[in-house]
Each structure stands twice: as structure tokens, then as C-alpha cells.
Amino acid sequence: AVLNRELAVQNGVWRLMEDYASIATYYLFSFQYTVESDERTSGYLCVCLNTAARSISRQPERLLRALQDDMEEDPVFSPNAEEISAQYALAACFAHAEVRRLIAALEHSANRRLARDSARTEAYYGALMAQIEKRAVRRSADGAAAEKDRGRIEATQLDRAAKQEDLIRKYSLRVQIELTDVLVVPLPVRTISVRLIRKKEERLVALGWNGVLRTLDTPLCEQCSGYARPLLLCEKVHLLCATCLGPCPACGRVFCRICQPKCKCGAASDSTPCR
């Protein structure tokens, strides 16, 4: 029933193999992000990873609220630095993508104002260049005057480029993401073993049903580490999101970004790997 309700495999099928109660270690990474442009914006983000199933909880704040009254520090707990470092790399990659989504409105506004001011700058310098070139044509017979006009044209072009660079710096979003704390919590889960099938290929994967939230953790895309919901499978049964098994921006051919770093047409991948 859980799989029917929450596991969305878009281009393949799944078969339940077994399920059993277990304990999974969850890593909750808290990040603070700051966005600076002509104004400053900040916020917080929590990323909750189920390390056993390489999946993510979509409701980390709700999970924290449910746990906070019952949590107590384990005096014998010794953090594994290598494990935390490995999980941090995954959480940071997801956090960067999520912050990009959260600030999409700011990015859109900055791009809109940049386009507006760039158009005004181009119109101003375009009219100025037209005047200088028109005058240069009239005085082309005068060698000294023609030399001065060429100098004015070069200076105007340099000034226009400098103004455009200033606009880009003005409207660029400078984003800083910092880790604030890490919480390591063992939680009861239902481990669900599933056979994923794509044509003649198949693969056995473990999914985690969170016993506190009573929801299925979402698998992560094996290429970009984003949400793989709906889950897509390539011919080699890689777990992918819609971007990493999507059409080539140049020719429209659908291909797996893990199996092929580039499309057969030669266009570069539009998906960034994150391990």
C-alpha cells in the first residue's frame, strides 16, 4: 500500500521483495544561506538524509518537531568524521539546488532589472555611436579629424563595455551557504526491498519508510542528488530525476547523464554530477 501510494516509477515497474523493521541513521544538516545584491536576504534550510537508503526526508522541520521532546544526548556516541564528511557532501549538493529554487524569485527580479538597464544602456550608446560614425563619414577626407573620430569610437565602445560590466556586478546574486549544525539520530524504519525493472534490466534497491513521519523517504537522483520524484530509470536502471533523464537541449534526444556525459550530437550535459 505504501509503495502504491508513494513510489512513482514513471518509466519502469517495481516488484516488492520483502520488508522488515530496522533502525536507520538519519543525518540532519542545518544550513544558513545569505543572498547579497542591492539588498541582503537570509534564511535557513534543513536537509535530512537517510544514509542506509540514500534517500531524503521531504519534511525535515516536521521531523525535528516530532523528535525534539524525546531527544537526549548519547554520552557514548562518537561521530564518524569520514561518514559525516561523506554525507555532508551529499547534503550540501542538495542544499545548493534547494536554495537556488528558494531564491528563484530574487533571481528572476535581478535578471529582469539587468535586462531593462542593459537595454537602456545599449540604446544610449547605440545612438551615441551612430552620431559619431555619421560625423566620421562627413569628415573622412580630413585625416586628423578622422583619427580623432576613430579614437572617440574606441573610447565609446570601451565605456559601453565597462557600463555593462558594472550592471552585471550590480545585479549579480552573491549566495553564501554555511553549515550551522549536524544532528545524528537513529530512527525506527521499515526497510522495503524492491526490484526495479526497466525492459530487460533490473536492480534491487532498499527504500526506507520513516516510522516517525509515516512516509516513504524520497530516493535521490544518482547524478545530481536532487529529488528523484517521479523516479525515472535508464536502460542500466540508474535512479534519475526528470532533468538527468531528459531531452538534450540541442537536439531533443533523451539520454542518461550517467551513461553519457554528452549527447551523441556533441552537446554538453545540462546536469551537474554530485557525489
Side-chain angles (χ1 to χ4, degrees), residues 100-156:
R100 182 68 180 270
R101 184 187 67 81
L102 292 172
I103 66 172
L106 290 175
E107 185 178 13
H108 175 74
S109 175
N111 286 334
R112 178 177 53 80
R113 288 180 289 164
L114 174 61
R116 178 199 62 198
D117 289 358
S118 293
R120 289 174 178 174
T121 300
E122 284 297 317
Y124 169 77
Y125 280 98
L128 187 59
M129 287 288 292
Q131 292 177 5
I132 296 173
E133 290 171 352
K134 185 177 180 180
R135 184 171 55 190
V137 170
R138 291 200 309 265
R139 305 195 304 178
S140 58
D142 186 339
E147 183 64 27
K148 288 182 179 180
D149 288 332
R150 282 194 293 270
R152 289 191 185 98
I153 291 173
E154 291 178 0
T156 302

Side-chain angles (χ1 to χ4, degrees), residues 8-46:
V9 182
Q10 187 162 303
N11 63 343
V13 297
W14 55 264
R15 296 288 183 268
L16 174 64
M17 302 303 293
E18 61 176 339
D19 69 285
Y20 51 89
S22 60
I23 299 293
T25 301
Y26 281 77
Y27 286 77
L28 291 92
F29 294 88
S30 295
F31 296 91
Q32 179 181 11
Y33 64 90
T34 304
V35 185
E36 292 185 356
S37 183
D38 51 346
E39 59 184 21
R40 182 186 178 95
T41 304
S42 61
Y44 291 90
L45 172 71
C46 183

Side-chain angles (χ1 to χ4, degrees), residues 191-202:
T191 298
I192 305 173
S193 181
V194 173
R195 185 157 50 97
L196 298 176
I197 304 170
R198 168 69 174 161
K199 295 183 178 179
K200 295 183 179 180
E201 299 290 334
E202 61 182 57

